[in-house]
Amino acid sequence: IFFFFFINKENSSSPANRTLDLTMLVSTGGKVRSLREFEVLLNKAGFNLVDSWNVGSRLPFSIIEGAPV
């Protein structure tokens, strides 16, 4: 499985990350997650985190790859 998402850097409290997190919460009921949080979600869904690639320059866009357990 591949998906394109924002990755929040661990312990990052930059204004851009806080604004993005608030936007996700208000518009979708979700939140911006760290790579570790994505790994936990993938594991709960029966997948392993295979790899991730940072594809953004100003915002932390990433492609995340997961594979069935």
Side-chain angles (χ1 to χ4, degrees):
I1 183 171
F2 290 89
F3 52 101
F4 180 76
F5 217 86
F6 295 105
I7 298 290
N8 190 12
K9 294 181 181 175
E10 298 286 336
N11 302 319
S12 176
S13 62
S14 74
N17 282 341
R18 288 184 294 197
T19 301
L20 187 56
D21 202 23
L22 183 59
T23 301
M24 291 291 293
L25 178 62
V26 171
S27 61
T28 67
K31 70 175 201 167
V32 178
R33 292 180 167 85
S34 68
L35 189 58
R36 176 69 185 129
E37 289 172 310
F38 273 110
E39 184 175 19
V40 169
L41 287 175
L42 283 166
N43 291 159
K44 286 181 180 180
F47 289 84
N48 286 324
L49 175 67
V50 175
D51 208 349
S52 69
W53 300 271
N54 184 2
V55 294
S57 58
R58 297 179 125 195
L59 288 174
F61 288 105
S62 292
I63 296 173
I64 301 166
E65 179 183 3
V69 173

